[in-house]
Amino acid sequence: MEFELNEEQRMIRQAAREFVEKEVKPRAREVDETGQFPWETIRKMGPMGFLGINVPEEYGGAGGDEISLAILLEELGRGCGSTGLITEDHICLASEAIAEFGTEEQKQKYLVPMARGEVLGALSLTEPGAGSDLVGGVRTTARRDGNEWVLNGSKMWTTNAGVAGVIVILARTDPAGGSHSLSLFIVPKDTPGMHVDPPEKKMGLHGCWSHAVSLDEVRIPLDNLLGEEGRGIHEALHVLDGGRIGIGALSIGLAQGALEAAISYAKERQTFGKPLVGHQAIQFKLADMATKVYLARLGVYHAAWLKDSGKPYTMEAGMSKLFASEMAEWVAYQAIQIHGGYGYSREYPVERIYRDARLMTIGEGTSEIQRLVIARRLIRES
């Protein structure tokens, strides 16, 4: 879709690509093998405006649109899945929640430093017994006590929690249950009673840390309620819609990286007296891989355009996330096949890309949940 990008979007892509080639891609293997958080890279992204790319300028951001955000996430994913997901969660989840539902005071206090890259953010929804079923499964509670909220409970898989300065937490404010029983809260780092466990040991995305978070009589001001009391699940689902566009873009970047690695390898590898790329079986694989990447990109850009235009985009976000995430895993698989035995070795990037891509079909709504979202919207609109 290069021909449809405007000048600003092309400039963002060029800047992001140059940054990734210089700062992100060369460190990807080290980040994966050591499991170290890529602080050096993340700190350089703030001054470039990347960590607040779609936040309005009055709140410290670059004022870009959703397509620009998708372009950035794709380029980051092409270089390093961990760096891409760190950025996606910070922008699409934590920052988006405060930008959409925060008061002016909350935006000035929390969103501005987040958009400038001075502070990272996290969104904490999932619990040991609550993944897809947030309405019925969330056990973390928030009760009023004078001029404070008191939070108690446990969270799981909170990306960036160990490095975040701000965590947005979903908690139950009405023990009666139901769709109006949950609310979102802004909890600053180091609030007494909040404990973040060490990073989980994961299959991939080793440099992007995910944590269990425990809350024991955590006290925050009443003003730290984000949005409306009892509207937390509706607000969270709205944020996840945008996050699904982000995951779709990140998935495209992973797939693009795998495709480029496969083409490069196929040009160099000699089999049966000619380069691997000269065999029709390999050419067909590459053609199918490129076609799927192209179509996924169109879907993500369209969903981003709908969001920019203020039009409904829930179904399209689900579609683009579903297709792009499953596409990325398939393309990475094909890239490994093209590499043969070398594809199973850590010496080549496709092994890492495959492990990183696997999470995309799970995070921010599994493929099964996406299909439910799409089907229900289709049935309702028919």
Side-chain angles (χ1 to χ4, degrees):
M1 284 190 62
E2 180 176 0
F3 60 92
E4 293 189 9
L5 300 182
N6 60 38
E7 182 179 358
E8 181 179 354
Q9 291 162 350
R10 290 194 297 269
M11 289 175 62
I12 288 171
R13 186 177 63 180
Q14 183 63 31
R17 183 162 297 179
E18 291 176 357
F19 179 80
V20 167
E21 290 297 323
K22 181 181 179 182
E23 303 289 348
V24 179
K25 200 172 182 179
R27 296 187 173 97
R29 180 177 173 182
E30 179 185 2
V31 168
D32 177 66
E33 292 187 352
T34 65
Q36 293 299 308
F37 190 87
W39 269 122
E40 183 178 355
T41 303
I42 296 298
R43 289 192 176 106
K44 290 179 180 179
M45 292 173 64
M48 297 185 70
F50 287 162
L51 295 179
I53 188 169
N54 63 336
V55 175
E57 294 180 2
E58 59 264 35
Y59 298 116
D65 57 15
E66 293 299 314
I67 293 179
S68 297
L69 171 57
I71 291 169
L72 171 64
L73 292 175
E74 177 182 341
E75 293 299 325
L76 289 172
R78 192 175 66 87
C80 173
S82 290
T83 305
L85 188 58
I86 291 164
T87 306
E88 191 274 339
D89 274 51
H90 167 77
I91 298 175
C92 298
L93 301 185
S95 298
E96 179 77 3
I98 297 175
E100 281 287 319
F101 303 109
T103 63
E104 182 65 24
E105 182 181 356
Q106 288 171 340
K107 291 177 182 177
Q108 293 293 339
K109 185 175 182 179
Y110 299 110
L111 184 59
V112 169
M114 291 168 70
R116 291 174 177 168
E118 299 166 0
V119 171
L120 285 180
L123 176 66
S124 191
L125 306 178
T126 306
E127 298 188 2
S132 299
D133 180 18
L134 292 174
V135 174
V138 169
R139 296 289 179 265
T140 297
T141 61
R143 72 176 193 277
R144 291 174 183 263
D145 185 13
N147 61 352
E148 294 178 317
W149 290 100
V150 184
L151 277 64
N152 285 280
S154 300
K155 293 290 182 179
M156 286 289 293
W157 301 114
T158 305
T159 301
N160 293 343
V163 295
V166 176
I167 304 179
V168 177
I169 293 178
L170 181 68
R172 189 170 300 281
T173 46
D174 184 356
S179 61
H180 290 83
S181 62
L182 302 170
S183 305
L184 289 176
F185 297 90
I186 301 173
V187 183
K189 179 182 179 181
D190 297 330
T191 301
M194 183 169 67
H195 176 76
V196 178
D197 286 352
E200 299 285 349
K201 296 179 180 180
K202 303 179 297 183
M203 175 180 177
L205 300 163
H206 294 155
C208 177
W209 295 351
S210 298
H211 306 260
V213 178
S214 61
L215 306 156
D216 183 12
E217 293 292 298
V218 172
R219 292 180 173 270
I220 55 174
L222 292 180
D223 290 344
N224 280 39
L225 172 70
L226 180 60
E228 298 180 35
E229 183 178 349
R231 293 284 300 173
I233 190 60
H234 306 88
E235 295 162 1
L237 292 176
H238 177 80
V239 170
L240 287 175
D241 280 344
R244 286 163 183 164
I245 300 174
I247 290 293
L250 181 54
S251 298
I252 294 166
L254 289 164
Q256 183 68 40
L259 174 61
E260 291 173 3
I263 294 172
S264 177
Y265 179 82
K267 285 181 175 181
E268 297 174 0
R269 174 71 166 172
Q270 295 282 328
T271 60
F272 302 101
K274 60 182 178 181
L276 191 61
V277 76
H279 296 283
Q280 189 180 68
I282 301 302
Q283 293 172 2
F284 282 9
K285 279 185 181 292
L286 295 173
D288 288 343
M289 293 160 71
T291 299
K292 290 178 184 291
V293 171
Y294 169 75
L295 293 174
R297 185 177 291 118
L298 289 176
V300 167
Y301 281 13
H302 180 244
W305 174 80
L306 287 173
K307 186 180 181 189
D308 279 329
S309 303
K311 299 179 180 181
Y313 63 95
T314 295
M315 183 170 69
E316 289 79 3
M319 286 178 168
S320 61
K321 195 267 189 187
L322 171 64
F323 184 77
S325 60
E326 295 193 346
M327 175 277 301
E329 185 177 354
W330 183 87
V331 167
Y333 173 90
Q334 297 301 327
I336 289 176
Q337 291 300 107
I338 290 173
H339 280 69
Y342 288 114
Y344 202 63
S345 167
R346 291 188 180 181
E347 293 297 318
Y348 289 82
V350 291
E351 179 268 346
R352 165 176 49 83
I353 294 172
Y354 184 79
R355 289 185 288 105
D356 288 352
R358 188 64 189 87
L359 183 275
M360 302 301 135
T361 63
I362 300 172
E364 296 183 37
T366 63
S367 290
E368 291 73 20
I369 289 297
Q370 303 314 313
R371 288 182 168 92
L372 281 176
V373 170
I374 295 164
R376 287 172 179 172
R377 188 57 60 100
L378 284 172
I379 294 167
R380 185 184 310 149
E381 292 182 356
S382 66

